[in-house]
Amino acid sequence: PDNASPNTIAKWDSMNHLKIILSIEEEYNFKLTKNEIISMINIEIIVRTIESHLSLENAVLYSSGSIEP
């Protein structure tokens, strides 16, 4: 569920949060900012953050001519 968070998932502690962050950075090949990492308090925010990075990446690729619409 979108509202899944450390408050609703017992195993979501600080160490597992770091594992989530590192997995996202590795899978999608981008670095999250300190503020993004701190703000990722539930699944919905994590998904929105990933989508934001992917949208930005696609916009850069499109404007550079690396991909077509």
Side-chain angles (χ1 to χ4, degrees):
D2 287 347
N3 64 344
S5 71
N7 295 329
T8 61
I9 299 175
K11 291 187 176 189
W12 189 340
D13 58 12
S14 59
M15 198 61 179
N16 283 321
H17 186 76
L18 182 57
K19 288 178 184 178
I20 291 168
I21 299 304
L22 294 173
S23 295
I24 290 168
E25 290 180 337
E26 184 177 319
E27 177 69 24
Y28 295 103
N29 198 30
F30 57 72
K31 290 290 183 189
L32 295 161
T33 67
K34 179 181 174 181
N35 289 337
E36 287 173 325
I37 293 168
I38 292 169
S39 73
M40 294 175 130
I41 58 172
N42 64 38
I43 296 297
E44 180 181 3
I45 294 170
I46 291 172
V47 169
R48 281 192 279 142
T49 303
I50 293 169
E51 289 173 342
S52 174
H53 273 269
L54 294 178
S55 293
L56 179 60
E57 182 179 307
N58 284 336
V60 169
L61 290 172
Y62 176 71
S63 68
S64 72
S66 297
I67 62 171
E68 296 189 23

